[in-house]
Amino acid sequence: MSTTRRMMLAALAGGALTACGAPERSTGPAAATQPSTPSPSPAVSSAAPSPTMTVRPARLPAVTRAEIVARYGHAVPRTWGFDAPGVLRRLPAGQKAVALTFDACGGRGGSGYDRALIDFLRRREIPATLFLNSRWIDANPAVFRRLAAEPLFEIANHGTRHLPLSVTGRSAYGIPGTRSAAEVYDEVAGNRAKLTRLLGSPPRFFRSGTAYCDDVAAGIVTALGERFAGFSVNGDAGATFSPEQVGTTVGAAPAGSVVICHMNHPEGGTARGIAAAVPRLLASGHTFVRLSEAWH
């Protein structure tokens, strides 16, 4: 086996998913409903929605922060990684399609927009689920409005500050995770409230920053009315793969795969790699679905 092939297989097993770098951390309980503090990057707008963005009444989670703390505050996690109980990593048995999912992480170095990638999906009419972080939405309000209006795409929750989801502060790829059940609530519910206001209904799926979680945190996601979406194919290794690596990795995805890639690094190889992989998958008989089409 060649050195290049071994490196790609290692990335697939759990490669870097840190395309956005370290998040800013807030500590106050108000983080449950307030947008995150944006990066000082000039590309990031203020935390308030754009004046031209349609804002609808919020439908906050039926479970409160205090109830989450009371229920999960003393729970001890038993797992850490990509496959906690309840995490959706593959499509349901019998599904012959592939689900393409793209993260937009926000924050320092991570609020770009891969227009070439999205335009390719539009041209080929390939559906996808887009996991958008609160900070990325703040930085790209006009793009968000257009994506949210397109039936081809499904908008999902990628967290408020792009944190690994832990109740003990565990880190992934050097990014400190949430430190308690209360912080897990803040990470999920903050962006959930934003998306609910902007979309008119709450998102159905959540993915944490880095996609790491423990079993207690995954249970909190479920309690808040969302399903934790993991992945079975790491398509671009945190937007670090070359176009050739993305094309090879995604093009080999078997039926039932949930593919994770990124849409916030236009300088990377994701767009060209996806453009090479999709025709290959179509030619081999694959179809594509949004996550909500697989899990009704």
Side-chain angles (χ1 to χ4, degrees), residues 160-174:
T160 306
R161 294 179 289 137
H162 195 257
L163 302 178
L165 215 62
S166 167
V167 294
T168 60
R170 293 194 68 165
S171 299
Y173 307 115

Side-chain angles (χ1 to χ4, degrees), residues 7-215:
M7 290 173 63
M8 290 178 64
L9 290 176
L12 286 175
L17 296 171
T18 58
C20 303
E24 300 88 0
R25 180 178 291 279
S26 65
T27 57
T33 57
Q34 293 295 323
S36 60
T37 303
S39 162
S41 166
V44 180
S45 67
S46 65
S50 165
T52 60
M53 183 179 291
T54 301
V55 178
R56 300 179 176 90
R59 299 176 188 174
L60 296 177
V63 182
T64 67
R65 190 178 197 265
E67 289 170 335
I68 289 295
V69 172
R71 187 184 307 178
Y72 296 96
H74 298 291
V76 178
R78 298 181 179 180
T79 67
W80 177 245
F82 299 131
D83 55 357
V87 172
L88 308 175
R89 297 194 62 193
R90 292 186 55 82
L91 299 182
Q95 289 271 347
K96 297 182 179 180
V98 169
L100 297 180
T101 71
F102 297 94
D103 290 359
C105 311
R108 289 186 293 270
S111 290
Y113 170 52
D114 197 337
R115 185 183 304 275
L117 169 67
I118 298 300
D119 284 348
F120 169 79
L121 298 175
R122 288 176 177 134
R123 287 195 305 272
R124 297 301 298 262
E125 298 184 342
I126 304 298
T129 302
L130 311 180
F131 284 85
L132 308 183
N133 179 263
S134 179
R135 301 169 304 172
W136 189 91
I137 296 169
D138 290 341
N140 298 277
V143 172
F144 171 84
R145 286 196 300 272
R146 183 175 179 188
L147 294 173
E150 296 186 62
L152 192 64
F153 304 125
E154 173 180 25
I155 306 300
N157 184 356
H158 196 35
T160 306
R161 294 179 289 137
H162 195 257
L163 302 178
L165 215 62
S166 167
V167 294
T168 60
R170 293 194 68 165
S171 299
Y173 307 115
I175 300 177
T178 49
R179 298 169 293 189
S180 64
E183 287 197 5
V184 170
Y185 177 96
D186 295 346
E187 179 66 11
V188 179
N191 198 39
R192 178 181 173 87
K194 179 193 290 291
L195 288 172
T196 301
R197 288 195 304 271
L198 299 176
L199 300 173
S201 60
R204 294 184 56 189
F205 299 95
F206 174 88
R207 178 181 287 149
S208 63
T210 75
Y212 267 78
C213 70
D214 64 39
D215 54 310

Side-chain angles (χ1 to χ4, degrees), residues 257-294:
S257 295
V258 176
V259 178
I260 184 174
C261 288
H262 291 77
M263 55 172 281
N264 61 314
H265 282 275
E267 76 284 357
T270 301
R272 286 180 290 164
I274 291 294
V278 163
R280 190 180 311 165
L281 289 169
L282 290 171
S284 62
H286 289 74
T287 58
F288 297 91
V289 295
R290 295 172 290 270
L291 292 182
S292 61
E293 296 173 272

